[in-house]
Amino acid sequence: MKEKIAVFPGSFDPFTLGHENIVQRALVLFDKIIIALGENSSKKYFFDIEKRYRMIHNLYKDNSQIEVDVFKGLTVDFCKEKGAHFLLRGLRNSSDFNYESTIAMLNNKMGGGIETVFLITDPGLSFYSSTVVRDFLKAGKDCSSFLAPAVWKEILNEV
Ligand code: ADP
């Protein structure tokens, strides 16, 4: 049977426990999950691409079902390159849904039938976002409760 590969694309600036929860729960659905860091040259990131890559790589380095990669350009082109027929995304609220549903339809059309699989956030993590973590970090707050220990450790090495 064909391997079920999903790409989980995002900025992951930084990768939070909300993201981790989505990956963890999706592991039973797919043979392989590729966490794909989007690199958009016109977008300003808080953590550079090497740092964001290291945070996620350190977290999953012992899990052969999970790969971490970086891509530029269209997500559907990256999926094709990787032989992935699924996109994985998380939904926290209706704003996420409104935005994500349009993108999912476009990706399905442009990506030759690629399917986006949505997982609803764990209720206890619904208010976790990279934006909140960045704002707290700028204010010098301890963000360890929003992040996996490996990610927090990587951040402490720099901030
Ligand atoms: P992007 O810039 O593509 O929105 P993000 O890194 O912000 O990338 O998010 C990647 C994915 O993770 C999105 O589908 C987003 O909805 C989801 N996500 C982020 N935080 C949570 C959370 N707390 N619970 C569930 N899904 C989440």
Side-chain angles (χ1 to χ4, degrees), residues 8-22 25 36-38 43 45 52 71 75 88-93 96-97 99-100 116-131 134:
F8 182 34
S11 311
F12 307 120
D13 189 24
F15 193 84
T16 70
L17 287 178
H19 297 129
E20 192 196 19
N21 178 263
I22 296 294
R25 288 161 54 209
L37 281 154
K43 207 167 155 182
Y45 298 98
R52 284 182 284 140
F71 75 101
T75 313
L88 172 65
R89 296 287 284 175
L91 292 179
R92 284 163 293 187
N93 46 45
D96 271 358
F97 176 78
Y99 174 74
E100 296 285 348
T116 302
V117 174
F118 294 106
L119 292 187
I120 302 286
T121 183
D122 177 301
L125 302 174
S126 62
F127 58 94
Y128 282 39
S129 75
S130 300
T131 311
R134 289 197 301 273

Side-chain angles (χ1 to χ4, degrees), residues 70-125:
V70 176
F71 75 101
K72 279 188 181 145
L74 292 180
T75 313
V76 287
D77 289 342
F78 179 73
C79 288
K80 200 168 173 191
E81 188 191 309
K82 291 287 178 178
H85 292 96
F86 302 94
L87 277 164
L88 172 65
R89 296 287 284 175
L91 292 179
R92 284 163 293 187
N93 46 45
S94 54
S95 322
D96 271 358
F97 176 78
N98 289 340
Y99 174 74
E100 296 285 348
S101 55
T102 310
I103 305 284
M105 286 185 259
L106 270 171
N107 282 335
N108 182 268
K109 193 172 170 58
M110 300 303 289
I114 198 157
E115 296 291 356
T116 302
V117 174
F118 294 106
L119 292 187
I120 302 286
T121 183
D122 177 301
L125 302 174

